[in-house]
Amino acid sequence: MKINIKHIAKLANLSISEEEEKKFDRQLSIIVKYIEKLKEADVENTEETSQITGLENVTREDKTTSSLSQDEALSNTKNKHNGLFKVPKII
Amino acid sequence: MSLNTLTIKKAKEGLKRKEFSSVDLVKACLSEIEKRKSLNAFITVTEKEALIHAEENDKKIKDGINLSLLGLPISLKDIYLTKGIRTTAASKVLDGYIPQYNAAVVNKLYEAGAIIIGKTNCDAWAHGSSGENSDFGPTKNPYNEEYVPGGSSSGSAVSVAASLSIASMGTDTGGSIRLPASFCNVVGLKPTYGRVSRFGIISMASSLDSIGHFTKTVEDSAHLLSVTAGRDVDDGTSPDEKVDNYESYLGKDIKGLKIGLPKEYFSEGLDKRIKELIEKKVKELERLGATVEIISLPNTEYGIACYYIIQPAEVSSNLGRYDGIRYGSARQNFGAEAKRRIMLGTYVLSSGYYDAYYKKAMRIRTLIKEDFANAFKKVDVLITPVSPTMPWKIGEKFSDPLSMYLSDIYTVTANLAGIPGLSVPIGLIEGLPVGMQIMGPHFSEGKLFQVGQVIEDSEL
């Protein structure tokens, strides 16, 4: 099964070099071949597990509590303007 | 005697009897950290803050205030958010990141009087089993600096093994506490999933991440868990389950205890010397009154494949937030292992592949969970090796990712099933440490400490 590394990298928003592309293609192919092992297992009548300790619908009261101030929230970026995060143009 | 070599128990006694101060303890640790710089166990040493806190705690001690961890220097894996203290996840992406808040567990440690002495080195983003994937250089094994200390909580294991701190906090998603504990001759606990809050700890795989710690003794491990365990409203996966009195399990015998040895964990692939050492220890436990039964966990062979689908899938989602907008630098600064896992995860979740890989892995996860549930109907605890091999030389497995992944073979199943696991030292083979793993049902940490301490006290 040939992995389309370029396509995957695009989906993952990762820019990788030609050299990296070749290396990852090689390494990921080996790993994917190993995980194909799962094909041997019979799971026809088995449910999926995503929450391992059986918790469901964990909620809290809809009350606001203290959080970060605007300055604190912006403290780890240079991309800010007028108390807002600056992002690349999307539209 | 060097104060940094004390256990939590002995350090607390000494502080109470005024034999030394918290400042003395911190200074001893700082001096050892400097002496053992070559181990590369720390990314940030919080020397100034630690000494200020130590002075404050000495006043509290003088005033007769009694807190669980008062005056004790503890280190944290550098994925624990610490307010005002650089937190890097051992990655170039977060090199300048200064958190604006503490992880919930960090607040608990502070409230218990603990002193944070520094942030330890680890595999970047907790991706790794050896400590070699750090963007800040590999950590070395204190028993032989040419060998790996295990990962991903490499620096934390070394921090305790080399007495650079009295205890250390780590995380375990597929074995990242139990494996380095085994390689560094210290006690490592992976609690039940959700037992300790994950809030404020950089997420790797959210359904697998478990928050645990390294200590010099089983007794210390029980003491530390009684501080960190408990419900947290900010972590939706932390249950209401009452926190057990872990220290009440210490000093109990194991007469009538039913131990299970899963045959799949003792087959070919396991270093014969490790197998012999474990068998010797188990015979000793039988002599002390336990019964031993060979059982089967039939879906063990799918563990690694299942884990290396679910974990990278969740990693690819969790690392999506590092877009360089609110914090961190560009995504091209991710190291090779992070990129591999992000891409593997993206691939197994992508259209056309989701059912064949991710959905299937989620079902196999159910089978693995059921294997353990069935086993625990017959036995109280399971004993297994932690690692199929002894620690390897730095660089030996680095260019073979799959070989690195296969070293997790005995540890990933506990994360898939959400059950707790304790790694206890059982000796050295040619100068390098070996650990043994004890696993139990959800929330059975007390029983693990009970068995662990008996193993610790037993003679070979």
Side-chain angles (χ1 to χ4, degrees):
Chain A
M1 185 139 284
K2 180 91 176 96
I3 305 167
N4 187 343
I5 299 285
K6 264 204 174 73
H7 172 62
I8 295 299
K10 185 158 181 254
L11 286 179
N13 194 13
L14 286 176
S15 54
I16 55 175
S17 65
E18 282 276 335
E19 211 187 306
E20 277 180 309
E21 193 183 322
K22 284 200 196 95
K23 180 178 77 170
F24 289 142
D25 189 5
R26 203 181 5 103
Q27 292 173 335
L28 290 179
S29 298
I30 294 170
I31 295 164
V32 170
K33 186 148 181 273
Y34 179 82
I35 63 181
E36 301 263 313
K37 211 180 194 309
L38 287 193
K39 292 211 162 101
E40 299 163 15
D42 175 17
V43 287
E44 266 296 317
N45 301 312
T46 312
E47 291 272 307
E48 287 138 38
T49 293
S50 49
Q51 213 302 321
I52 198 62
T53 49
L55 293 174
E56 276 180 353
N57 300 334
V58 177
T59 58
R60 63 173 174 82
E61 271 186 73
D62 189 10
K63 278 201 303 199
T64 50
T65 54
S66 63
S67 183
L68 299 179
S69 70
Q70 197 172 35
D71 279 339
E72 280 173 323
L74 293 163
S75 64
N76 277 298
T77 183
K78 292 195 180 73
N79 304 324
K80 48 194 169 188
H81 180 70
N82 283 349
L84 304 170
F85 286 108
K86 228 165 47 164
V87 303
K89 184 171 175 179
I90 306 167
I91 302 165
Chain B
M1 87 108 52
S2 323
L3 299 177
N4 54 302
T5 62
L6 293 174
T7 57
I8 291 178
K9 181 166 185 235
K10 287 256 148 34
K12 277 176 67 105
E13 282 170 11
L15 285 170
K16 192 165 177 211
R17 291 200 291 254
K18 314 252 192 306
E19 289 167 12
F20 47 81
S21 67
S22 176
V23 170
D24 294 331
L25 257 182
V26 170
K27 282 191 172 156
C29 287
L30 289 172
S31 150
E32 193 68 17
I33 290 171
E34 181 60 36
K35 224 168 76 189
R36 305 299 304 272
K37 244 188 158 124
S38 63
L39 295 174
N40 200 21
F42 280 82
I43 292 178
T44 303
V45 181
T46 47
E47 181 167 342
K48 233 180 22 187
E49 295 90 337
L51 287 167
I52 292 171
H53 276 145
E55 274 183 36
E56 288 169 7
N57 284 346
D58 278 331
K59 282 201 198 84
K60 289 197 175 115
I61 293 170
K62 209 155 147 228
D63 293 340
I65 293 177
N66 192 10
L67 297 170
S68 298
L69 300 170
L70 191 56
L72 305 180
I74 297 184
S75 60
L76 310 170
K77 184 173 186 177
D78 206 14
I79 60 171
Y80 281 61
L81 261 55
T82 41
K83 185 174 179 176
I85 298 169
R86 176 175 79 145
T87 301
T88 67
S91 170
K92 281 207 223 75
V93 172
L94 285 183
D95 197 356
Y97 175 63
I98 313 255
Q100 312 93 321
Y101 61 103
N102 284 323
V105 167
V106 173
N107 281 331
K108 276 192 153 175
L109 293 171
Y110 278 138
E111 280 157 27
I115 295 164
I116 306 305
I117 197 153
K119 310 300 291 299
T120 57
N121 201 357
C122 57
D123 285 299
W125 308 103
H127 300 165
S129 312
S130 68
E132 295 170 281
N133 289 331
S134 168
D135 288 356
F136 292 78
T139 302
K140 320 281 175 68
N141 192 316
Y143 285 77
N144 185 330
E145 294 191 27
E146 287 182 38
Y147 287 77
V148 300
S152 62
S153 313
S154 42
S156 282
V158 170
S159 181
V160 176
S163 293
L164 309 176
S165 64
I166 304 297
S168 189
M169 300 299 298
T171 62
D172 187 313
T173 302
S176 292
I177 287 176
R178 291 161 289 154
L179 186 67
S182 165
F183 280 10
C184 292
N185 216 34
V186 294
V187 176
L189 173 72
K190 176 216 166 294
T192 305
Y193 177 77
R195 179 72 289 183
V196 179
S197 171
R198 290 181 297 114
F199 179 77
I201 296 172
I202 295 176
S203 296
M204 180 182 162
S206 305
S207 79
L208 299 162
D209 290 347
S210 201
I211 311 307
H213 48 259
F214 298 89
T215 50
K216 295 170 188 176
T217 61
V218 172
E219 177 171 35
D220 281 3
S221 192
H223 186 80
L224 191 42
L225 185 63
S226 61
V227 175
T228 59
R231 175 110 213 292
D232 179 25
V233 285
D234 291 323
D235 178 353
T237 60
S238 81
D240 259 321
E241 186 82 19
K242 183 167 168 280
V243 176
D244 210 344
N245 180 352
Y246 301 115
E247 289 168 284
S248 70
Y249 288 82
L250 302 169
K252 287 181 156 168
D253 64 52
I254 53 166
K255 292 200 183 73
L257 181 83
K258 294 193 223 111
I259 297 174
L261 301 180
K263 62 178 193 201
E264 293 85 1
Y265 288 58
F266 290 92
S267 61
E268 47 158 280
L270 173 61
D271 185 317
K272 284 191 173 58
R273 301 168 297 172
I274 298 178
K275 188 167 185 241
E276 269 169 35
L277 199 47
I278 293 179
E279 283 170 347
K280 247 168 137 186
K281 271 294 178 188
V282 171
K283 279 225 156 46
E284 177 65 15
L285 296 178
E286 269 184 300
R287 203 187 60 77
L288 292 167
T291 60
V292 176
E293 186 184 333
I294 311 284
I295 57 119
S296 173
L297 298 172
N299 291 287
T300 301
E301 62 174 313
Y302 301 118
I304 290 278
C306 178
Y307 175 77
Y308 274 100
I309 287 173
I310 295 177
Q311 174 254 103
E314 294 181 7
V315 162
S316 73
S317 174
N318 280 327
L319 265 49
R321 70 195 59 165
Y322 302 101
D323 51 19
I325 293 173
R326 293 157 297 169
Y327 38 67
S329 61
R331 286 172 77 77
Q332 60 219 43
N333 290 329
F334 275 128
E337 186 61 38
K339 285 183 178 165
R340 260 194 294 274
R341 296 193 188 203
I342 290 169
M343 287 197 291
L344 183 55
T346 303
Y347 176 67
V348 302
L349 289 174
S350 64
S351 177
Y353 298 104
Y354 180 92
D355 283 4
Y357 294 118
Y358 187 68
K359 218 166 160 184
K360 186 134 199 196
M362 298 255 277
R363 290 179 174 182
I364 295 195
R365 188 170 186 179
T366 304
L367 295 180
I368 290 173
K369 177 175 140 203
E370 283 169 1
D371 277 0
F372 281 111
N374 291 333
F376 291 130
K377 287 191 188 125
K378 300 192 216 133
V379 300
D380 299 313
V381 297
L382 297 171
I383 284 182
T384 76
V386 178
S387 167
T389 67
M390 294 302 293
W392 52 90
K393 271 197 167 162
I394 291 176
E396 200 178 300
K397 291 193 186 181
F398 196 60
S399 52
D400 186 355
L402 183 60
S403 149
M404 198 76 93
Y405 296 167
L406 290 171
S407 57
D408 296 339
I409 202 156
Y410 302 133
T411 49
V412 294
T413 46
N415 299 86
L416 289 168
I419 61 174
L422 182 71
S423 175
V424 286
I426 56 168
L428 304 175
I429 292 173
E430 287 172 34
L432 289 171
V434 183
M436 187 164 90
Q437 175 173 229
I438 313 158
M439 290 187 279
H442 290 153
F443 305 110
S444 66
E445 289 85 356
K447 191 132 258 163
L448 303 190
F449 294 134
Q450 181 181 347
V451 181
Q453 194 179 49
V454 169
I455 293 168
E456 200 175 51
D457 291 342
S458 72
E459 298 291 324
L460 252 178

